Amino acid sequence: MAITVVGSVAYDSIETPAGRRERCLGGAATYFSLSASFFTDVRVIAVGEDFGPEQDAVFHARNIDTRGIEHTAGKSFFWEGSYLDSLNEAKTHHTELNVFAAFDPKLPDAYRDSEFLFLANIDPVLQRRVREQMPNVKLVAGDTMNYWIKDHKPALLEMLKGLDVLLINDTETRMLGQNPNLVLAARAVMAMGPRLLVVKHGEYGATLFHSASPKGAGAERTFKAPGFPLEEVVDPTGAGDSFAGGFFGYLASQPELTPGAFRRAMFYGSAMGSFACERFGTERLQQLTRAEIDERFNIFRELTHLD
Amino acid sequence: MAITVVGSVAYDSIETPAGRRERCLGGAATYFSLSASFFTDVRVIAVGEDFGPEQDAVFHARNIDTRGIEHTAGKSFFWEGSYLDSLNEAKTHHTELNVFAAFDPKLPDAYRDSEFLFLANIDPVLQRRVREQMPNVKLVAGDTMNYWIKDHKPALLEMLKGLDVLLINDTETRMLGQNPNLVLAARAVMAMGPRLLVVKHGEYGATLFHSASPKGAGAERTFKAPGFPLEEVVDPTGAGDSFAGGFFGYLASQPELTPGAFRRAMFYGSAMGSFACERFGTERLQQLTRAEIDERFNIFRELTHLD
């Protein structure tokens, strides 16, 4: 079933211990779409005037519907960052919102029958506006970040009420749930709306929490996907969005959303996040094959299964 | 089969967000012994003059052989630390080596038929001296820390040649292997002697690396045990030693050291580490039952298994 995703398509300038890239294709919606496209049909809502045929070709090579990318006057969102001190955390040098500042996401008619909706990390007011245009979707997932948690809490809390699944990292979970203990913070976050919470731990994988768990029995319902033991992390940019694309793309490809489907989705998410780190920007996702993904999924099983 | 362990029995004064304890029973050999005692016979080599009947009773309640605890004149090893800023890292306020400074570990005759040997974190010169007294053991595992890596490297490298399994944390692995990438650092460490390396990630569990893996195929042979999602970490002191006790104790209880036995040992290690954090000092390990351990082992399976 098709996924509609709203978020940023952007240019990134990135420096890591492995080298530097200027203005490569990036943005949360880009990583998410490329990653999810290995599992199901993906439709993007974004904005970017200076996206030319070269950028379009990247999406079209993966059969991603870009009719929802608005081409308004002005430069695309731009981010410059580095990972020279630590591959676990980006240092942001420069951000230009550009056309993103006045972005008013519009849902093309052709997207209306999407049964899955992903709200990538943008202003929660915009996330909510898209959510309201698609009241009947089967599953809604979303992302956010420390900036919205700190300075846009009321809008974020409104947005969270409309989510089935929230995907954020450890720090964001503790900040939003206002508790240094991750399990208790996760429970507090799920009380804000989402019945499922995926907490991403970077190189240590991710944890899926269920709000349905009775107090004290949380561990029995929790599921953990490990991180992949990569011999070289070239560029961690977009790893979290690629995780979300693999997780949500796999779910959208399944006939039924069983507990087993969510568990496998966690492994596919972790696999896609690990691929994203192997080259700069979206390079690895552009070259990837489904056979490679399934091979890595099987390695994940080996990494954690007893027998 | 019986394990002989050499290491510290000590008194710890600990402060965490959950409270404070003065001079409670601690030391690596204590945590290791209590933890391993749920799986097999354990024999301790240590030193401590001021260990009275109360401390002996803790060991004897778990049938741990303490004939190798030497009672020389002088105070026991003492450590004072806190976890007020972060539960992931202890801040050491005060250390008194006391009788430990002149410790010359002696192997009681009754310990000589032990088939498993654990060298807890002490001076690598002493670790090696004990290792040389037991040349025919079936499996030798050991621990070390940043202090020995930084300032006693030659002695440490000699000791490592005599190990089958080394258990250390992320930071120690990167420091010893001199590589910021954990997989490459692990490979460098295994080239120093141990054919197996367990890297402990604190709340994120632990990874078992095999030196037998051909280059580039490491991920297929690697195994990951998750951390347990604890709702309250009362005191992380001794969690790593308790992990080692569960891991090594389980192995010593097995008729054969198969790859499957090592995988299950990782889960038992992680289970024992999680129990240790639930109360101050060794309190939780003293009250534990084997049924509770097996119940937690099954939750670990649930946490990571797809089906």
Side-chain angles (χ1 to χ4, degrees):
Chain A
M1 282 171 279
I3 299 174
T4 284
V5 50
V6 58
S8 57
V9 293
Y11 289 111
D12 294 339
S13 288
I14 304 161
E15 189 166 8
T16 82
R20 190 176 165 89
R21 287 292 184 284
E22 300 296 340
R23 293 184 65 77
C24 58
L25 180 63
T30 305
Y31 284 101
F32 178 92
S33 302
L34 289 172
S35 176
S37 73
F38 289 92
F39 302 93
T40 194
D41 293 336
V42 183
R43 299 151 171 184
V44 191
I45 301 176
V47 62
E49 192 259 356
D50 50 358
F51 271 67
E54 200 189 319
Q55 288 72 39
D56 264 344
V58 172
F59 288 92
H60 294 156
R62 297 283 332 139
N63 283 316
I64 296 163
D65 195 331
T66 59
R67 282 177 288 178
I69 301 185
E70 211 180 320
H71 291 251
T72 52
K75 280 188 167 179
S76 290
F77 184 81
F78 174 72
W79 178 78
E80 185 177 357
S82 67
Y83 303 85
L84 296 179
D85 292 335
S86 162
L87 284 163
N88 288 319
E89 200 171 5
K91 191 170 166 185
T92 294
H93 299 290
H94 189 61
T95 303
E96 293 172 17
L97 276 179
N98 296 331
V99 291
F100 224 77
F103 181 37
D104 183 21
K106 283 171 208 75
L107 188 70
D109 280 341
Y111 287 16
R112 289 201 181 270
D113 64 350
S114 306
E115 298 200 46
F116 287 74
L117 173 62
F118 188 77
L119 308 170
N121 169 34
I122 49 170
D123 187 332
V125 171
L126 301 186
Q127 291 177 310
R128 198 173 151 217
R129 212 173 286 164
V130 176
R131 174 70 180 97
E132 284 170 351
Q133 292 176 64
M134 299 182 73
N136 299 317
V137 289
K138 193 169 165 183
L139 200 71
V140 191
D143 189 5
T144 191
M145 69 183 289
N146 48 7
Y147 173 72
W148 309 114
I149 297 170
K150 247 181 80 196
D151 297 335
H152 294 73
K153 192 81 170 275
L156 179 63
L157 291 177
E158 276 307 308
M159 187 280 284
L160 289 175
K161 289 180 191 166
L163 284 191
D164 295 307
V165 189
L166 177 67
L167 295 98
I168 49 180
N169 68 28
D170 292 53
T171 310
E172 291 155 357
T173 304
R174 292 189 165 102
M175 191 188 284
L176 182 56
Q178 296 184 309
N179 198 311
N181 178 283
L182 195 67
V183 181
L184 300 182
R187 195 171 292 148
V189 168
M190 290 184 290
M192 298 170 188
R195 63 192 165 83
L196 294 166
L197 174 66
V198 177
V199 182
K200 295 169 288 179
H201 313 307
E203 64 173 312
Y204 299 114
T207 304
L208 173 67
F209 292 99
H210 299 245
S211 69
S213 314
K215 194 170 180 308
E220 290 84 346
R221 295 288 306 276
T222 303
F223 187 70
K224 298 206 167 225
F228 190 79
L230 282 174
E231 293 186 18
E232 190 187 16
V233 174
V234 171
D235 172 16
T237 308
D241 302 311
S242 304
F243 180 106
F247 174 82
F248 210 54
Y250 178 77
L251 285 175
S253 76
Q254 293 302 291
E256 273 192 276
L257 297 178
T258 60
F262 278 97
R263 288 172 170 242
R264 290 188 298 275
M266 289 289 287
F267 276 25
Y268 277 110
S270 211
M272 297 309 291
S274 72
F275 281 121
C277 297
E278 291 183 350
R279 302 277 182 281
F280 272 100
T282 60
E283 288 170 19
R284 186 69 179 100
L285 297 182
Q286 291 185 46
Q287 301 156 345
L288 202 57
T289 66
R290 179 62 195 254
E292 287 177 305
I293 296 168
D294 287 324
E295 191 187 340
R296 187 154 296 183
F297 178 89
N298 288 328
I299 297 175
F300 270 94
R301 185 192 290 264
E302 285 290 304
L303 275 173
T304 58
H305 279 216
L306 290 174
D307 310 305
Chain B
M1 280 171 281
I3 299 174
T4 285
V5 50
V6 59
S8 57
V9 293
Y11 288 111
D12 294 340
S13 288
I14 303 162
E15 188 166 10
T16 83
R20 191 177 164 89
R21 288 291 184 286
E22 302 296 339
R23 295 185 64 79
C24 57
L25 181 62
T30 305
Y31 284 100
F32 177 93
S33 301
L34 289 173
S35 176
S37 73
F38 289 93
F39 302 92
T40 194
D41 292 336
V42 183
R43 299 150 171 185
V44 192
I45 301 178
V47 63
E49 192 260 357
D50 49 359
F51 271 67
E54 199 189 323
Q55 287 73 38
D56 263 344
V58 172
F59 288 92
H60 293 157
R62 296 285 330 139
N63 282 316
I64 297 164
D65 195 330
T66 57
R67 283 176 288 177
I69 301 184
E70 210 180 321
H71 292 250
T72 53
K75 279 188 168 181
S76 291
F77 184 81
F78 173 73
W79 177 78
E80 184 177 357
S82 68
Y83 303 84
L84 296 179
D85 292 335
S86 162
L87 284 164
N88 288 318
E89 201 169 4
K91 191 170 166 187
T92 293
H93 298 290
H94 189 62
T95 304
E96 292 172 16
L97 276 179
N98 296 332
V99 289
F100 225 77
F103 181 37
D104 182 21
K106 283 171 208 75
L107 187 71
D109 281 338
Y111 287 15
R112 289 201 181 270
D113 63 351
S114 305
E115 298 200 43
F116 287 73
L117 173 62
F118 188 77
L119 308 170
N121 169 34
I122 49 170
D123 186 332
V125 171
L126 301 188
Q127 290 178 310
R128 197 173 150 217
R129 210 173 287 165
V130 176
R131 174 71 180 94
E132 285 169 350
Q133 292 175 66
M134 298 180 74
N136 300 317
V137 289
K138 192 170 167 184
L139 200 72
V140 191
D143 188 5
T144 190
M145 69 183 290
N146 48 8
Y147 173 72
W148 308 113
I149 297 171
K150 248 181 80 199
D151 297 335
H152 294 73
K153 192 82 170 274
L156 179 62
L157 291 177
E158 276 308 307
M159 185 279 283
L160 288 176
K161 290 181 192 166
L163 283 192
D164 296 306
V165 190
L166 177 66
L167 296 97
I168 50 180
N169 69 27
D170 291 53
T171 310
E172 290 155 357
T173 304
R174 291 188 166 103
M175 189 187 285
L176 182 56
Q178 295 184 310
N179 198 311
N181 179 283
L182 194 68
V183 181
L184 300 182
R187 195 171 293 147
V189 169
M190 289 184 291
M192 298 169 188
R195 62 190 166 83
L196 295 166
L197 174 66
V198 177
V199 182
K200 295 168 287 178
H201 313 306
E203 65 173 311
Y204 299 114
T207 303
L208 172 67
F209 292 98
H210 299 245
S211 68
S213 315
K215 195 171 177 308
E220 290 83 347
R221 296 288 306 274
T222 303
F223 186 71
K224 296 204 169 228
F228 190 78
L230 283 174
E231 293 185 20
E232 188 186 18
V233 174
V234 171
D235 172 17
T237 309
D241 301 311
S242 303
F243 181 107
F247 174 84
F248 210 55
Y250 178 77
L251 285 175
S253 76
Q254 293 302 292
E256 271 191 278
L257 296 178
T258 61
F262 279 96
R263 289 174 169 241
R264 291 189 296 275
M266 288 290 287
F267 277 24
Y268 277 110
S270 213
M272 297 309 291
S274 72
F275 281 122
C277 297
E278 291 183 350
R279 300 277 182 283
F280 273 97
T282 60
E283 288 171 18
R284 185 71 180 97
L285 297 182
Q286 291 185 46
Q287 300 155 347
L288 202 57
T289 66
R290 179 62 194 254
E292 287 177 304
I293 296 169
D294 287 324
E295 189 187 344
R296 187 154 294 183
F297 178 89
N298 288 327
I299 297 176
F300 270 93
R301 185 192 290 262
E302 285 290 303
L303 275 173
T304 58
H305 279 216
L306 290 173
D307 310 305

